Amino acid sequence: MPITRTFVIAALSLGGASHGAFAQNYPARAARIIVPWTPGGTADLLARIAGQKFSETWGQQFIVDNRPGASGLIGTEVAAKAAPDGHTLLLATTAPNSVAPSIYSKIPFDPVKDFASISLIATTCYVLSVHPAMPVTSARELVALAKARPGQMTFSSPGAGTPNHLSGEMLKMLTGVDMQHVPYKGSTQAIADVMGGQITMSFENIVVVSPLAKSGRVKSLAVTCPKRTAALPHLPTMAESGVAGFEAVGWFGMVVQAATPRDVVARINGELTRALNLADVKERITSLGAEVVPTTPDGMDKFNLAQIALWAKVVKASGARVD
C-alpha cells in the first residue's frame, strides 16, 4: 500500500476515533440554547423544558440565551456562526428557518446549509384574538367590522415576516379587509398590547394565548389549524368561520451548527427524543396546546424543506416583503 494512502487512512481513522470520543464526552462543559425570541414565548418555554432535561441527564448546565430581534434573524445568525461542537444549540422556529428565505431579499444565514437538524419538538397553531371588550364574537363578525372600518384596525405580531404576521396578511388577502400590521420584538409585548386595547387583534401562538383566553384576558375567536384543537376545543377553525383556504401552523425544533460532528448530533437527538417521550414532558407541552412531534434529523430536514416551499407560496400570493 502506498505510504500516502496509508497515511490518509490512518488520519481518517484517528479522526473518526476522536469524533467518537468527543461524542462520548459530550457535553464537556456548560452549553447554551439560543432562543431568537423574547422570554415567555412558545420557543422560550420549549427551550427551557428541553434544557432542564438535558441538564438532569448530563450534569451540565444548558442555559437559555434569549437573543430577540429582526423576527428571529439575530439569534439565528449567532447560532449559525457558533463553534460546531454542539455546545451552542438553537431553538429553531418557523419564521427564521422557514419563512425568511422567501420574505427577505437577503438573510445572514442559510437555514438549510448552515444548520444540522437535531429533531422537531412540537407543532402548534395560531389563535385569532381580540380585546375582551371588542363587539364581536366570531371571526366572521370581526371581518365584517374591519370592512366597515377600512384602515382603522391593527394586528400585532412578534416581528415582520413571522407566521403571525403572514397570518394577518393571509386574512387580508382572503377577505379583502384593510388593516395595519404592527410588529414587535416578541410575543409577550405583541399580545400584551392586544390585552391593553392598543392593538385590535393578533394571530398569536396557541401556547401563549391559551391561558390568556381561559382567564378572559383576551377574547379568542378562531384557530388557524386545519381542525379544532384539544387545548381550546370550543374555538372553530378559520375555515369554519367563513375564511375558506385559511390554514397556518407553527413549528419548533432544535438545530446546531452545520459542521457539528454527526455522532454529537445523534447523541443530542437521542436524548431529546427520550425527553420528548417522557410522560411529564408530553403533559407539559400538550397542556400548552402544542403537539409533541420528535423526529430523526433527516425527518426534520424533510419537514422544513416542505415548510419553506409552503410559506414561499403564501409570501408570493400575499405580496408581503420585508427588507
Coordinates of all heavy atoms in Angstrom, one line a residue, residues 126-222:
Y126 N -52.1 29.0 15.5 CA -52.2 30.3 15.9 C -53.7 30.6 16.2 O -54.6 29.9 15.7 CB -51.7 31.3 14.9 CG -50.3 31.0 14.5 CD1 -50.0 30.3 13.4 CD2 -49.2 31.5 15.3 CE1 -48.6 29.9 13.1 CE2 -47.9 31.2 15.0 CZ -47.6 30.4 13.9 OH -46.3 30.1 13.6
V127 N -53.9 31.6 17.1 CA -55.3 31.9 17.5 C -55.6 33.3 17.2 O -54.8 34.2 17.6 CB -55.4 31.6 19.1 CG1 -56.9 31.9 19.5 CG2 -55.0 30.2 19.4
L128 N -56.7 33.6 16.5 CA -57.1 35.0 16.3 C -57.8 35.5 17.6 O -58.8 34.9 18.0 CB -58.1 35.0 15.1 CG -58.8 36.3 14.8 CD1 -57.7 37.4 14.5 CD2 -59.8 36.2 13.7
S129 N -57.2 36.5 18.2 CA -57.7 37.0 19.4 C -57.9 38.5 19.4 O -57.1 39.2 18.7 CB -56.8 36.6 20.6 OG -56.6 35.2 20.7
V130 N -58.8 39.0 20.2 CA -59.0 40.5 20.3 C -59.2 40.8 21.8 O -59.2 40.0 22.6 CB -60.3 40.9 19.5 CG1 -60.2 40.6 18.1 CG2 -61.6 40.2 20.1
H131 N -59.3 42.1 22.0 CA -59.5 42.6 23.4 C -60.9 42.1 23.8 O -61.9 42.1 23.0 CB -59.4 44.1 23.5 CG -59.6 44.7 24.8 ND1 -60.8 45.0 25.4 CD2 -58.6 45.0 25.7 CE1 -60.5 45.4 26.7 NE2 -59.2 45.5 26.9
P132 N -61.1 41.8 25.1 CA -62.4 41.3 25.6 C -63.6 42.2 25.3 O -64.7 41.8 25.2 CB -62.2 41.1 27.1 CG -60.7 40.8 27.2 CD -60.1 41.7 26.2
A133 N -63.3 43.5 25.2 CA -64.4 44.5 25.0 C -64.8 44.7 23.5 O -65.8 45.4 23.2 CB -64.0 45.9 25.6
M134 N -64.0 44.0 22.6 CA -64.4 44.2 21.2 C -65.8 43.6 20.9 O -66.1 42.5 21.4 CB -63.4 43.4 20.3 CG -62.1 44.2 20.1 SD -62.3 45.6 18.9 CE -62.6 44.6 17.4
P135 N -66.6 44.4 20.2 CA -68.0 44.0 20.0 C -68.2 42.9 18.9 O -69.0 43.1 18.0 CB -68.7 45.3 19.6 CG -67.6 46.0 18.8 CD -66.3 45.7 19.6
V136 N -67.4 41.8 19.0 CA -67.5 40.7 18.1 C -67.4 39.4 18.8 O -66.8 39.3 19.9 CB -66.4 40.8 17.0 CG1 -66.5 42.0 16.1 CG2 -65.0 40.7 17.6
T137 N -68.0 38.4 18.3 CA -68.0 37.1 18.9 C -67.5 36.0 18.0 O -67.4 34.8 18.4 CB -69.4 36.6 19.4 OG1 -70.3 36.6 18.3 CG2 -69.9 37.6 20.5
S138 N -67.1 36.4 16.8 CA -66.6 35.4 15.8 C -65.7 36.1 14.8 O -65.7 37.3 14.7 CB -67.7 34.7 15.0 OG -68.4 35.7 14.2
A139 N -64.9 35.3 14.1 CA -64.0 35.8 13.1 C -64.8 36.4 12.0 O -64.4 37.4 11.4 CB -63.1 34.7 12.5
R140 N -66.0 35.8 11.7 CA -66.8 36.4 10.6 C -67.3 37.8 11.0 O -67.3 38.7 10.2 CB -68.1 35.5 10.4 CG -69.0 35.9 9.3 CD -70.1 34.9 9.1 NE -69.7 33.7 8.4 CZ -69.5 32.5 8.9 NH1 -69.6 32.4 10.3 NH2 -69.2 31.5 8.2
E141 N -67.7 38.0 12.3 CA -68.1 39.3 12.7 C -66.9 40.3 12.7 O -67.1 41.5 12.4 CB -68.7 39.2 14.1 CG -70.1 38.5 14.1 CD -70.6 38.5 15.6 OE1 -70.0 39.1 16.5 OE2 -71.7 37.9 15.7
L142 N -65.7 39.8 13.0 CA -64.5 40.7 13.1 C -64.2 41.2 11.6 O -63.9 42.3 11.4 CB -63.4 39.9 13.6 CG -62.0 40.7 13.7 CD1 -62.2 42.0 14.6 CD2 -60.9 39.8 14.2
V143 N -64.3 40.3 10.7 CA -64.1 40.6 9.3 C -65.1 41.7 8.8 O -64.7 42.7 8.2 CB -64.1 39.4 8.4 CG1 -64.2 39.8 6.9 CG2 -62.9 38.5 8.6
A144 N -66.3 41.5 9.2 CA -67.4 42.5 8.8 C -67.1 43.8 9.4 O -67.3 44.9 8.8 CB -68.8 42.0 9.3
L145 N -66.7 43.9 10.7 CA -66.3 45.1 11.4 C -65.1 45.8 10.7 O -65.1 47.0 10.5 CB -66.1 44.9 12.9 CG -65.9 46.1 13.7 CD1 -67.1 47.0 13.7 CD2 -65.5 45.7 15.2
A146 N -64.1 45.0 10.3 CA -62.9 45.5 9.7 C -63.3 46.1 8.3 O -62.7 47.2 7.9 CB -61.9 44.4 9.5
K147 N -64.2 45.5 7.6 CA -64.6 46.1 6.3 C -65.4 47.4 6.5 O -65.3 48.3 5.6 CB -65.5 45.0 5.6 CG -64.7 43.9 5.0 CD -65.6 42.9 4.2 CE -64.7 41.8 3.6 NZ -65.6 40.8 2.8
A148 N -66.1 47.5 7.6 CA -66.8 48.7 7.9 C -65.9 49.8 8.4 O -66.3 51.0 8.4 CB -67.9 48.5 9.0
R149 N -64.7 49.5 8.8 CA -63.7 50.5 9.3 C -62.4 50.3 8.5 O -61.4 50.0 9.1 CB -63.5 50.3 10.8 CG -64.7 50.4 11.7 CD -64.4 50.1 13.1 NE -65.5 50.2 14.0 CZ -65.5 49.9 15.3 NH1 -64.3 49.5 15.9 NH2 -66.6 50.0 16.0
P150 N -62.4 50.5 7.3 CA -61.2 50.3 6.5 C -60.0 51.1 7.0 O -60.1 52.3 7.2 CB -61.6 50.7 5.0 CG -62.8 51.6 5.2 CD -63.5 51.1 6.4
G151 N -58.8 50.4 7.1 CA -57.6 51.1 7.5 C -57.5 51.5 9.0 O -56.5 51.9 9.4
Q152 N -58.6 51.2 9.8 CA -58.6 51.6 11.2 C -58.1 50.5 12.1 O -57.7 50.8 13.3 CB -60.0 52.1 11.6 CG -60.5 53.3 10.8 CD -61.9 53.7 11.3 OE1 -62.3 53.6 12.4 NE2 -62.7 54.2 10.3
M153 N -58.2 49.3 11.7 CA -57.8 48.2 12.6 C -56.4 47.8 12.5 O -55.8 48.0 11.4 CB -58.8 47.0 12.4 CG -60.2 47.2 12.8 SD -61.1 45.7 12.8 CE -62.7 46.2 13.6
T154 N -55.8 47.3 13.5 CA -54.4 46.9 13.6 C -54.3 45.4 14.0 O -55.1 44.9 14.7 CB -53.6 47.8 14.5 OG1 -54.2 47.7 15.8 CG2 -53.6 49.2 14.0
F155 N -53.2 44.8 13.6 CA -52.9 43.5 14.1 C -51.4 43.4 14.4 O -50.6 43.9 13.7 CB -53.3 42.4 13.1 CG -52.5 42.3 11.8 CD1 -51.5 41.4 11.6 CD2 -52.8 43.2 10.7 CE1 -50.7 41.4 10.4 CE2 -52.1 43.1 9.6 CZ -51.0 42.2 9.4
S156 N -51.1 42.8 15.6 CA -49.7 42.7 16.0 C -49.1 41.4 15.7 O -49.8 40.4 15.4 CB -49.7 42.9 17.6 OG -50.3 41.9 18.2
S157 N -47.8 41.4 15.7 CA -47.1 40.1 15.6 C -45.7 40.2 16.3 O -45.3 41.3 16.6 CB -46.8 39.8 14.1 OG -45.7 40.6 13.6
P158 N -45.1 39.1 16.6 CA -43.8 39.1 17.2 C -42.6 39.5 16.3 O -41.5 39.4 16.6 CB -43.6 37.7 17.8 CG -44.4 36.9 16.9 CD -45.6 37.7 16.5
G159 N -43.0 40.0 15.1 CA -42.0 40.5 14.2 C -42.4 40.4 12.8 O -43.2 39.5 12.4
A160 N -42.0 41.3 11.9 CA -42.3 41.3 10.5 C -41.7 40.0 9.9 O -40.5 39.6 10.2 CB -41.7 42.5 9.8
G161 N -42.5 39.3 9.1 CA -42.0 38.1 8.4 C -42.3 36.9 9.2 O -42.0 35.8 8.7
T162 N -42.8 37.0 10.4 CA -43.2 35.8 11.2 C -44.5 35.2 10.6 O -45.3 35.9 9.9 CB -43.4 36.2 12.7 OG1 -44.5 37.1 12.7 CG2 -42.1 36.7 13.3
P163 N -44.8 33.9 10.9 CA -46.1 33.3 10.5 C -47.2 34.1 11.1 O -48.3 34.1 10.5 CB -46.0 31.9 11.0 CG -44.5 31.6 11.2 CD -43.9 32.9 11.6
N164 N -47.1 34.7 12.3 CA -48.1 35.5 12.9 C -48.4 36.7 11.9 O -49.6 37.0 11.7 CB -47.7 36.0 14.2 CG -47.0 35.0 15.1 OD1 -45.9 34.5 14.7 ND2 -47.5 34.7 16.2
H165 N -47.4 37.4 11.5 CA -47.6 38.5 10.5 C -48.2 38.0 9.2 O -49.2 38.6 8.8 CB -46.2 39.1 10.2 CG -46.2 40.0 9.0 ND1 -45.1 40.2 8.3 CD2 -47.2 40.8 8.5 CE1 -45.3 41.1 7.3 NE2 -46.6 41.4 7.4
L166 N -47.7 36.9 8.7 CA -48.3 36.4 7.4 C -49.7 35.8 7.6 O -50.5 35.8 6.6 CB -47.4 35.3 6.9 CG -46.0 35.8 6.4 CD1 -45.2 34.6 5.8 CD2 -46.1 36.9 5.3
S167 N -50.1 35.4 8.8 CA -51.4 35.0 9.0 C -52.4 36.2 8.9 O -53.5 36.1 8.3 CB -51.6 34.4 10.4 OG -50.9 33.2 10.5
G168 N -51.9 37.4 9.4 CA -52.7 38.6 9.2 C -52.8 39.0 7.7 O -53.8 39.4 7.2
E169 N -51.6 38.8 7.0 CA -51.6 39.1 5.6 C -52.5 38.2 4.8 O -53.2 38.5 3.8 CB -50.2 39.0 5.0 CG -49.2 40.0 5.6 CD -49.5 41.5 5.2 OE1 -50.3 41.7 4.2 OE2 -49.0 42.4 5.8
M170 N -52.6 36.9 5.3 CA -53.5 35.9 4.6 C -54.9 36.3 4.8 O -55.7 36.2 3.9 CB -53.2 34.6 5.3 CG -53.8 33.4 4.5 SD -53.6 31.8 5.3 CE -51.8 31.7 5.3
L171 N -55.3 36.8 6.0 CA -56.6 37.3 6.3 C -57.0 38.4 5.3 O -58.1 38.4 4.8 CB -56.8 37.7 7.7 CG -58.2 38.1 8.1 CD1 -59.2 37.0 8.0 CD2 -58.2 38.7 9.6
K172 N -56.1 39.4 5.2 CA -56.3 40.5 4.3 C -56.5 40.0 2.8 O -57.4 40.4 2.1 CB -55.1 41.5 4.3 CG -55.0 42.2 5.6 CD -53.6 42.9 5.7 CE -53.4 44.0 4.7 NZ -52.1 44.7 4.9
M173 N -55.7 39.1 2.4 CA -55.7 38.5 1.1 C -57.0 37.8 0.8 O -57.6 37.9 -0.3 CB -54.5 37.6 0.8 CG -54.4 37.0 -0.5 SD -53.0 35.8 -0.6 CE -53.5 34.5 0.5
L174 N -57.4 37.0 1.7 CA -58.6 36.1 1.5 C -59.9 36.8 1.7 O -61.0 36.4 1.2 CB -58.5 34.9 2.5 CG -57.4 33.9 2.2 CD1 -57.4 32.8 3.3 CD2 -57.5 33.3 0.8
T175 N -59.9 37.9 2.5 CA -61.2 38.6 2.8 C -61.3 40.0 2.2 O -62.4 40.6 2.1 CB -61.4 38.7 4.3 OG1 -60.4 39.6 4.8 CG2 -61.4 37.4 4.9
G176 N -60.1 40.6 1.8 CA -60.1 42.0 1.3 C -60.2 43.0 2.3 O -60.4 44.2 2.0
V177 N -60.0 42.7 3.6 CA -60.0 43.8 4.6 C -58.7 44.6 4.6 O -57.7 44.1 4.1 CB -60.2 43.1 6.0 CG1 -61.5 42.4 6.2 CG2 -59.0 42.2 6.4
D178 N -58.8 45.8 5.0 CA -57.7 46.8 5.0 C -57.4 47.0 6.5 O -58.1 47.7 7.2 CB -58.1 48.1 4.3 CG -57.0 49.1 4.4 OD1 -55.8 48.7 4.7 OD2 -57.3 50.3 4.1
M179 N -56.2 46.5 6.9 CA -55.8 46.7 8.3 C -54.3 46.8 8.4 O -53.6 46.4 7.4 CB -56.3 45.6 9.2 CG -55.9 44.2 8.8 SD -56.7 43.0 9.9 CE -55.8 41.5 9.4
Q180 N -53.8 47.4 9.4 CA -52.4 47.7 9.5 C -51.6 46.8 10.4 O -52.0 46.4 11.5 CB -52.2 49.2 10.1 CG -52.9 50.2 9.3 CD -52.5 50.3 7.8 OE1 -51.3 50.3 7.6 NE2 -53.4 50.3 6.9
H181 N -50.4 46.4 10.0 CA -49.6 45.5 10.7 C -48.7 46.3 11.7 O -48.1 47.3 11.3 CB -48.7 44.6 9.8 CG -47.7 43.8 10.5 ND1 -46.3 43.8 10.1 CD2 -47.8 43.0 11.6 CE1 -45.7 42.9 10.9 NE2 -46.5 42.4 11.8
V182 N -48.6 45.8 12.9 CA -47.7 46.5 13.9 C -46.7 45.4 14.5 O -47.2 44.5 15.3 CB -48.5 47.1 15.1 CG1 -47.5 47.8 16.1 CG2 -49.5 48.1 14.6
P183 N -45.5 45.4 14.1 CA -44.5 44.4 14.5 C -43.9 44.7 15.9 O -43.7 45.9 16.2 CB -43.5 44.3 13.4 CG -43.5 45.8 12.9 CD -44.9 46.3 13.0
Y184 N -43.6 43.7 16.7 CA -42.9 43.8 18.0 C -41.7 42.9 17.9 O -41.4 42.3 16.9 CB -43.9 43.4 19.1 CG -45.0 44.3 19.4 CD1 -46.2 44.3 18.6 CD2 -44.9 45.3 20.4 CE1 -47.2 45.2 18.8 CE2 -46.0 46.2 20.6 CZ -47.1 46.1 19.8 OH -48.2 47.0 20.0
K185 N -41.0 42.9 19.0 CA -39.7 42.1 19.1 C -40.0 40.7 19.7 O -39.1 39.9 19.8 CB -38.7 42.8 20.0 CG -38.1 44.0 19.3 CD -36.9 44.6 20.1 CE -36.2 45.7 19.3 NZ -35.1 46.3 20.1
G186 N -41.2 40.4 20.0 CA -41.5 39.1 20.6 C -43.0 39.0 20.9 O -43.8 40.0 20.8
S187 N -43.4 37.8 21.3 CA -44.9 37.5 21.5 C -45.4 38.2 22.7 O -46.6 38.6 22.8 CB -45.1 36.0 21.6 OG -44.8 35.4 20.4
T188 N -44.6 38.4 23.8 CA -45.0 38.9 25.0 C -45.7 40.3 24.9 O -46.8 40.5 25.3 CB -43.9 38.9 26.1 OG1 -43.3 37.6 26.2 CG2 -44.4 39.4 27.4
Q189 N -44.9 41.2 24.3 CA -45.5 42.6 24.1 C -46.6 42.6 23.0 O -47.5 43.4 23.1 CB -44.3 43.5 23.7 CG -44.7 45.0 23.8 CD -45.3 45.4 25.2 OE1 -44.7 45.1 26.2 NE2 -46.4 46.2 25.2
A190 N -46.4 41.8 22.0 CA -47.4 41.8 20.9 C -48.8 41.4 21.5 O -49.8 42.1 21.1 CB -47.0 40.8 19.9
I191 N -48.9 40.4 22.3 CA -50.2 40.1 22.9 C -50.6 41.0 24.0 O -51.8 41.2 24.3 CB -50.2 38.6 23.3 CG1 -51.7 38.1 23.6 CG2 -49.4 38.4 24.5 CD1 -52.5 38.1 22.3
A192 N -49.6 41.5 24.7 CA -49.9 42.5 25.9 C -50.6 43.7 25.4 O -51.6 44.2 26.0 CB -48.6 42.9 26.6
D193 N -50.3 44.2 24.2 CA -51.0 45.4 23.7 C -52.3 45.1 23.1 O -53.2 46.0 22.9 CB -50.1 46.1 22.6 CG -49.0 46.9 23.3 OD1 -49.0 46.9 24.5 OD2 -48.3 47.6 22.5
V194 N -52.6 43.8 22.8 CA -54.0 43.4 22.5 C -54.8 43.4 23.8 O -55.9 43.9 23.8 CB -54.0 42.0 21.8 CG1 -55.5 41.6 21.6 CG2 -53.3 42.0 20.5
M195 N -54.2 42.8 24.8 CA -54.9 42.8 26.1 C -55.2 44.3 26.6 O -56.2 44.5 27.3 CB -54.1 42.1 27.2 CG -54.0 40.6 27.0 SD -53.3 39.7 28.3 CE -51.5 40.1 28.1
G196 N -54.2 45.2 26.3 CA -54.3 46.5 26.8 C -55.2 47.4 25.9 O -55.5 48.5 26.3
G197 N -55.7 46.9 24.8 CA -56.6 47.6 23.9 C -55.9 48.5 22.9 O -56.5 49.2 22.1
Q198 N -54.5 48.6 22.9 CA -53.8 49.4 21.9 C -53.8 48.8 20.5 O -53.7 49.5 19.5 CB -52.3 49.6 22.4 CG -52.2 50.4 23.7 CD -52.1 49.5 24.9 OE1 -52.6 48.4 24.9 NE2 -51.6 50.0 26.0
I199 N -53.9 47.5 20.4 CA -53.9 46.8 19.2 C -55.3 46.0 19.0 O -55.8 45.5 20.0 CB -52.8 45.8 19.1 CG1 -51.4 46.5 19.1 CG2 -52.9 44.9 17.9 CD1 -51.1 47.3 17.9
T200 N -55.8 46.0 17.8 CA -57.1 45.4 17.6 C -57.1 43.9 17.8 O -58.0 43.3 18.5 CB -57.7 45.7 16.2 OG1 -57.6 47.1 16.0 CG2 -59.1 45.2 16.1
M201 N -56.1 43.2 17.1 CA -56.2 41.8 17.1 C -54.8 41.2 16.9 O -53.8 42.0 16.6 CB -57.1 41.3 15.9 CG -56.5 41.6 14.6 SD -57.6 41.2 13.2 CE -58.5 42.8 13.1
S202 N -54.6 39.9 17.1 CA -53.4 39.2 16.8 C -53.6 37.8 16.4 O -54.7 37.2 16.8 CB -52.4 39.3 18.0 OG -52.9 38.4 19.0
F203 N -52.7 37.2 15.6 CA -52.7 35.8 15.4 C -51.5 35.3 16.2 O -50.4 35.3 15.8 CB -52.5 35.5 13.9 CG -53.7 35.6 13.1 CD1 -53.9 36.8 12.4 CD2 -54.6 34.6 13.0 CE1 -55.1 37.0 11.6 CE2 -55.8 34.8 12.2 CZ -56.0 36.0 11.5
E204 N -51.7 35.0 17.5 CA -50.6 34.6 18.4 C -50.7 33.1 18.6 O -51.7 32.4 18.5 CB -50.8 35.3 19.7 CG -49.6 35.1 20.6 CD -48.2 35.3 20.0 OE1 -47.9 36.5 19.7 OE2 -47.6 34.4 19.7
N205 N -49.5 32.5 18.9 CA -49.4 31.1 19.1 C -50.3 30.6 20.2 O -50.4 31.3 21.2 CB -47.9 30.8 19.4 CG -47.6 29.3 19.2 OD1 -48.0 28.5 19.9 ND2 -46.9 29.0 18.1
I206 N -50.8 29.5 20.0 CA -51.8 28.9 21.0 C -51.2 28.7 22.3 O -51.8 28.8 23.4 CB -52.5 27.6 20.4 CG1 -53.7 27.2 21.3 CG2 -51.5 26.5 20.3 CD1 -54.5 26.2 20.7
V207 N -49.9 28.4 22.4 CA -49.2 28.1 23.6 C -49.2 29.4 24.5 O -49.3 29.3 25.7 CB -47.7 27.7 23.4 CG1 -47.0 27.5 24.7 CG2 -47.7 26.4 22.6
V208 N -49.1 30.5 23.8 CA -49.1 31.8 24.5 C -50.5 32.2 24.9 O -50.8 32.7 26.0 CB -48.4 32.9 23.7 CG1 -48.5 34.3 24.4 CG2 -46.9 32.6 23.4
V209 N -51.4 32.0 23.9 CA -52.8 32.5 24.1 C -53.7 31.7 25.0 O -54.5 32.2 25.7 CB -53.4 32.7 22.7 CG1 -54.9 33.0 22.8 CG2 -52.7 33.8 21.9
S210 N -53.5 30.4 25.0 CA -54.4 29.5 25.7 C -54.7 29.9 27.1 O -55.9 30.1 27.5 CB -53.9 28.1 25.6 OG -54.8 27.2 26.2
P211 N -53.7 30.2 28.0 CA -54.0 30.6 29.3 C -54.7 32.0 29.4 O -55.5 32.2 30.3 CB -52.6 30.6 30.0 CG -51.6 30.7 28.9 CD -52.2 30.0 27.8
L212 N -54.4 32.8 28.5 CA -55.0 34.2 28.5 C -56.4 34.1 28.1 O -57.3 34.8 28.6 CB -54.2 35.1 27.5 CG -52.7 35.3 27.7 CD1 -52.1 36.1 26.7 CD2 -52.5 35.9 29.1
A213 N -56.7 33.2 27.1 CA -58.1 33.0 26.7 C -59.0 32.4 27.8 O -60.1 32.8 28.1 CB -58.2 32.2 25.4
K214 N -58.4 31.4 28.5 CA -59.1 30.7 29.5 C -59.4 31.6 30.7 O -60.4 31.4 31.5 CB -58.3 29.5 30.0 CG -58.3 28.4 28.9 CD -57.4 27.2 29.3 CE -57.4 26.1 28.2 NZ -56.5 25.0 28.5
S215 N -58.5 32.6 30.9 CA -58.7 33.5 32.1 C -59.4 34.8 31.7 O -59.7 35.6 32.5 CB -57.3 33.9 32.6 OG -56.5 34.7 31.7
G216 N -59.8 34.9 30.4 CA -60.6 36.0 30.0 C -59.9 37.3 29.7 O -60.5 38.3 29.5
R217 N -58.5 37.2 29.6 CA -57.8 38.4 29.3 C -57.7 38.8 27.9 O -57.4 39.9 27.5 CB -56.3 38.3 29.9 CG -56.3 38.4 31.4 CD -54.9 38.2 31.9 NE -54.5 36.8 32.0 CZ -53.4 36.3 32.4 NH1 -52.4 37.2 32.7 NH2 -53.1 35.0 32.4
V218 N -58.0 37.8 27.0 CA -58.3 38.1 25.6 C -59.5 37.3 25.2 O -59.9 36.3 25.9 CB -57.1 37.7 24.7 CG1 -55.9 38.5 25.0 CG2 -56.8 36.2 24.7
K219 N -60.2 37.8 24.1 CA -61.3 37.0 23.5 C -60.8 36.3 22.3 O -60.5 37.0 21.3 CB -62.4 38.0 23.2 CG -63.7 37.3 22.7 CD -64.7 38.3 22.1 CE -65.2 39.3 23.1 NZ -66.2 40.2 22.6
S220 N -60.7 35.0 22.3 CA -60.2 34.3 21.2 C -61.4 33.9 20.3 O -62.5 33.4 20.8 CB -59.5 33.1 21.6 OG -58.3 33.5 22.3
L221 N -61.2 34.0 19.0 CA -62.3 33.8 18.0 C -62.2 32.5 17.2 O -63.2 31.9 16.8 CB -62.4 35.0 17.1 CG -62.6 36.4 17.8 CD1 -62.6 37.5 16.8 CD2 -63.8 36.4 18.7
A222 N -60.9 32.2 16.8 CA -60.8 31.0 15.9 C -59.3 30.6 15.9 O -58.4 31.3 16.3 CB -61.2 31.4 14.5

